[in-house]
Amino acid sequence: MAAHTRLELHGAKVKARHRKALRAALKEAGEHLLGASNERIPYDQGELQLSGDVAYGGDGKEAAVFYDALHAVWQHERLDYKHDPGRAAKFLETAVVEDGDAAIAAAGEAYRREMR
């Protein structure tokens, strides 16, 4: 008795799902790093924290976490400024160094969730 197998390739559908999953992963990683940075950000009236955002580009293959308040660069770079405990300069850089692995793990989970 002969066995028959039929194989259908859905390349376009798989590619579309991959792109959607990649966007979800980047969003998850970006939001994770923004949240981690906001926990460290110098806080006075909240203007700096509220100016934080995540931008996406590169045909859905890039994400950037940023703060666009006028004083964002000064607060980030000036190590001589005094801040409340747990708040410090280099808030975004520190978030990437200390929480980068968790952001990558969150991105991986978001990707897997979308590809199911």
Side-chain angles (χ1 to χ4, degrees):
M1 175 180 245
H4 297 279
T5 301
R6 181 180 174 157
L7 175 65
E8 290 185 37
L9 300 177
H10 300 281
K13 286 183 180 180
V14 172
K15 191 172 185 179
R17 285 186 71 191
H18 165 71
R19 285 186 180 148
K20 182 180 177 190
L22 183 58
R23 284 191 298 274
L26 283 171
K27 182 177 185 332
E28 189 71 29
E31 294 296 330
H32 183 93
L33 289 175
L34 179 62
S37 178
N38 282 341
E39 291 176 4
R40 297 167 171 84
I41 201 165
Y43 190 88
D44 183 26
Q45 298 175 351
E47 180 184 350
L48 180 56
Q49 184 172 337
L50 290 173
S51 77
D53 204 357
V54 183
Y56 306 95
D59 193 26
K61 298 176 185 172
E62 297 174 0
V65 179
F66 66 93
Y67 294 88
D68 63 359
L70 293 176
H71 59 296
V73 173
W74 287 302
Q75 285 290 347
H76 190 268
E77 298 300 321
R78 294 292 303 262
L79 300 176
D80 58 323
Y81 285 0
K82 303 292 183 228
H83 303 292
D84 292 337
R87 307 290 182 157
K90 302 292 187 180
F91 44 90
L92 184 52
E93 184 176 330
T94 303
V96 170
V97 170
E98 293 182 2
D99 291 282
D101 288 344
I104 291 169
E109 181 55 37
Y111 185 89
R112 283 187 293 278
R113 208 172 31 248
E114 289 294 326
M115 290 300 289
R116 285 187 190 135

